[in-house]
Amino acid sequence: MGKFTDKLINAPIALTFGDVVLLPSRSDVEPREVDLTTNITVNIKANIPIVSSPMDTVTEAEMAIALARLGGLGVIHRNCSREEQVELVKQVKKAPVLPVKYIYIKASSTVEEAHKMLLKLNIEALPVVDSNGLFLGYFKHNSAIRADDKDLVARYAVKGEVIKREELLKVSKTNPKDSLAIIDNDGKYWGIIDNGSCNNYSPLIDDKGRLRVGAAISPYDLNRAKMLEKWVDVLVVDVAHFHNLNCIKAAKKLLREISVDIVVGNIGTYEACEDILTMLENVAGLRVGIASGSICSTGIVTGVAAPTLFAVANVRDALEDYGALHIPIIADGGIKSPGDAAKALAAGASAIMLGRALAGTDEASSPLIPIGSRLYKLYRGMGSKSALAKRYSADRYSPPSKKIAEGVEGLVPYRGPVANVIEEFRAGLQAALGYVGARNIRELWVKAKFARLTSIGLKEVHPHDLLMSL
C-alpha cells in the first residue's frame, strides 16, 4: 500500500457535535447546584462560560455590555478603525454594571407635570435633575400637597438616600426602592436601578468595578493593540489560521509589548498548540476550531477544516502533555445549542464562543429586517465579500485568500433580548452537568463519557415522528 493511500485509510475521524452524545452517569447533582464559573483567560474568571464572537454583525458595545452584566464576556470586532474600536470599548467601561432606567424630571418642569409622571410610572419618588445633569433631590406626592400646579418642581425637591455609581452592584443586592437615584462623584444623575431584572444578573467586573470587555486584533497591528490596551481586559488575536509562522512571529512581539491578557487563535490541531507552547510565552488563552461556523465557507472553498469538537480534544491533549492546563480553551464555531456547548466543555474547553446564537438578538449589532410577518437580522462571516469590502478584516485570512470569500451572509430569525438566549444556555448546561454528575466544569472534564452515533441514532436523539409546529 502506498503512502498516499495510507494517508486516506488511516486518517483520523474528525468528530463534531452531531456525531456524539454525552452518556448519563450516576449522579447526586441537581442542576441548580451546578457551578458554571470558569476561566476565560489565565487571569479572568467568568460567571458563565460564554464569550461572544468578534463579528461586526454580533458584537459591538451593546452586546458586550449585556453579556458582561450576565457574567460572560463580549469581544468587540475589529472591522472598523482603531479609533472606532477604542470608542466602543470605552462605552462598555463607562456603562453601569447593572441595567438602569433613565427616569427623571427636569427642575424646570411644573408640579402638575411631575404628579402626572408619578401616576403614570407608579413610583414613590421622582428624581429631579437640573440643566447641567446634577441631581437636586426627589419630588414626592406629599412634598407639594399645597403647591400650585404651575409651580416649578425644583422648589419642592427634597433630599434623600442615593446610590453612588461605584457602589451600584453592592447596593443592588439589598433590593432598594426602585426610585433610588444613582449619582457619580460629581453629583451627576445616572438613573435609577431597574429592580425588575437585577436578579438575573451576576456581572463580570474588573478591579475598578467596571464591566469587563475584550477586543479583537490583528497580530500585525501593534498600534491598535497599544491603543486598546489602556481600556480592555483581554485582546483576542483574530485570524482564521494562527498556526502560521508569520502570525506566530508577530504574536511574539505583541506578547512582549502588551500587558493585558492575549488569547491567540484560531487553531485546530495538537501540533498548533504544541508550537504555541514551545514558541510563545505568556499566552492567556486559545481560541480553537476552524471552519465550523454556520457562515464560514472555508471548508468548502479550501477543503481545509478542523471541526470544533475534534479540535478542542486535540488541543486539550497537547495542553495536558505539556503541563499547561492553566491555559483555557475557548471553543469557537458550530455551537448551535446548549447540548453542543456541553459537548465542547466535556471535550476539554473552558468556555464557548457564540456567533449565530447571538446574532438574532436585540443587542446584536445589525438592524431588524421585517419580511412579511416575521423579523430577521443580518448575519455575515468576517470572510464574506461584504465584510472584506471594509478592508479592516482582510488580514484575518492569508493574502492569497483575499481574492476569494471564505464566508457567507444571510438572515437569522429575531430572538428578542440576549438575556433569553443566555438563560437557555445556562439552564441547558446546568442540566447537562447534572446528567453527567459533575458539579462544575472541571469535574465535567473528568466524568464526561462520549458515545458515537450512527446516522439513524442522530435522527433518534432529535425530536421525530410528529408534525412540528412552526
Side-chain angles (χ1 to χ4, degrees), residues 12 37 39 59 93 95 122 132 156 168 220 237 268 289 305 379 468:
T37 59
N39 276 79
T59 311
K93 285 299 184 183
N122 192 29
N132 295 315
Y156 300 97
L168 178 59
Y220 308 106
V237 173
Y379 180 48
M468 299 294 290

Side-chain angles (χ1 to χ4, degrees), residues 166-322:
E166 62 269 22
E167 298 174 346
L168 178 59
L169 186 58
K170 180 174 65 176
V171 176
S172 71
K173 297 184 183 300
T174 66
N175 198 32
K177 295 178 181 178
D178 61 2
S179 55
L180 208 57
I182 305 162
I183 63 172
D184 64 16
N185 290 329
D186 297 322
K188 287 196 172 183
Y189 176 72
W190 272 80
I192 60 176
I193 285 184
D194 185 356
N195 269 352
S197 57
C198 281
N199 292 335
N200 300 325
Y201 292 88
S202 181
L204 179 61
I205 56 176
D206 62 21
D207 55 5
K208 295 181 180 178
R210 305 172 301 179
L211 296 173
R212 287 194 184 275
V213 61
I217 56 166
S218 163
Y220 308 106
D221 195 347
L222 182 59
N223 289 334
R224 183 183 290 254
K226 286 184 174 180
M227 288 174 66
L228 289 163
E229 180 183 17
K230 302 170 186 176
W231 293 94
V232 298
D233 299 282
V234 55
L235 293 171
V236 178
V237 173
D238 183 39
V239 291
H241 178 44
F242 183 80
H243 194 200
N244 173 293
L245 291 179
N246 292 324
C247 280
I248 292 173
K249 183 178 178 181
K252 184 177 291 189
K253 187 173 183 179
L254 276 176
L255 289 160
R256 188 169 59 244
E257 298 194 27
I258 300 298
S259 61
V260 299
D261 282 359
I262 295 179
V263 172
V264 302
N266 283 44
I267 62 170
T269 63
Y270 182 104
E271 292 77 16
C273 183
E274 186 175 41
D275 281 349
I276 287 169
L277 294 175
T278 55
M279 299 173 72
L280 298 176
E281 295 181 358
N282 301 319
V283 169
L286 300 169
R287 187 177 170 194
V288 176
I290 294 176
S292 285
S294 64
I295 39 64
C296 181
S297 60
T298 298
I300 298 300
V301 170
T302 69
V304 176
T308 301
L309 188 70
F310 171 82
V312 166
N314 271 263
V315 171
R316 179 56 189 253
D317 283 342
L319 291 177
E320 293 212 351
D321 290 348
Y322 279 83

Side-chain angles (χ1 to χ4, degrees), residues 10 90 92 101 196 213 237 341 381 384 388 450 457 470:
N10 294 311
K90 284 182 179 180
V92 181
K101 295 185 286 190
V213 61
V237 173
S384 64
L388 291 173
F450 287 98
L470 297 177

Side-chain angles (χ1 to χ4, degrees), residues 87-197:
E87 183 54 37
L88 290 170
V89 169
K90 284 182 179 180
Q91 289 177 33
V92 181
K93 285 299 184 183
K94 292 176 180 179
V97 296
L98 290 174
V100 298
K101 295 185 286 190
Y102 295 98
I103 295 172
Y104 66 93
I105 191 162
K106 295 178 180 179
S108 58
S109 299
T110 66
V111 168
E112 182 182 20
E113 291 170 328
H115 277 305
K116 287 180 179 179
M117 189 176 290
L118 282 171
L119 289 171
K120 180 181 179 180
L121 298 172
N122 192 29
I123 57 177
E124 297 177 5
L126 198 56
V128 180
V129 178
D130 72 10
S131 59
N132 295 315
L134 294 174
F135 172 72
L136 301 182
Y138 297 99
F139 179 88
K140 303 179 180 180
H141 278 298
N142 59 6
S143 299
I145 294 174
R146 298 182 180 85
D148 187 284
D149 282 348
K150 302 304 178 185
D151 285 349
L152 298 184
V153 166
R155 180 178 173 184
Y156 300 97
V158 295
K159 299 298 182 183
E161 186 182 357
V162 296
I163 303 172
K164 286 294 186 70
R165 184 180 174 232
E166 62 269 22
E167 298 174 346
L168 178 59
L169 186 58
K170 180 174 65 176
V171 176
S172 71
K173 297 184 183 300
T174 66
N175 198 32
K177 295 178 181 178
D178 61 2
S179 55
L180 208 57
I182 305 162
I183 63 172
D184 64 16
N185 290 329
D186 297 322
K188 287 196 172 183
Y189 176 72
W190 272 80
I192 60 176
I193 285 184
D194 185 356
N195 269 352
S197 57

